[in-house]
Amino acid sequence: MYAALWRILPGPVWVRILLVLVLLAAVLYSLATWVFPWANTIVDNQEVTVGAP
């Protein structure tokens, strides 16, 4: 998957690295902004049980 992404990115190596960093930042931003808060409403984290050894 990463090799295919690397092959379809245009430009020399430094442009590809820059594009990968921008894409990674966009994915992390969207996860932190929309996906994680949405998942937090679904998961009930109040009923966590930790067993004693």
Side-chain angles (χ1 to χ4, degrees), residues 2-25:
Y2 299 113
L5 176 65
W6 188 256
R7 282 192 299 265
I8 64 171
L9 289 175
V13 174
W14 67 272
V15 173
R16 291 179 182 190
I17 292 172
L18 184 63
L19 286 173
V20 166
L21 291 175
V22 168
L23 289 172
L24 181 64

Side-chain angles (χ1 to χ4, degrees), residues 4-52:
L5 176 65
W6 188 256
R7 282 192 299 265
I8 64 171
L9 289 175
V13 174
W14 67 272
V15 173
R16 291 179 182 190
I17 292 172
L18 184 63
L19 286 173
V20 166
L21 291 175
V22 168
L23 289 172
L24 181 64
V27 167
L28 291 176
Y29 177 77
S30 64
L31 282 173
T33 303
W34 296 297
V35 177
F36 293 152
W38 170 77
N40 193 28
T41 61
I42 294 173
V43 176
D44 185 20
N45 57 2
Q46 295 299 320
E47 296 190 27
V48 176
T49 304
V50 178

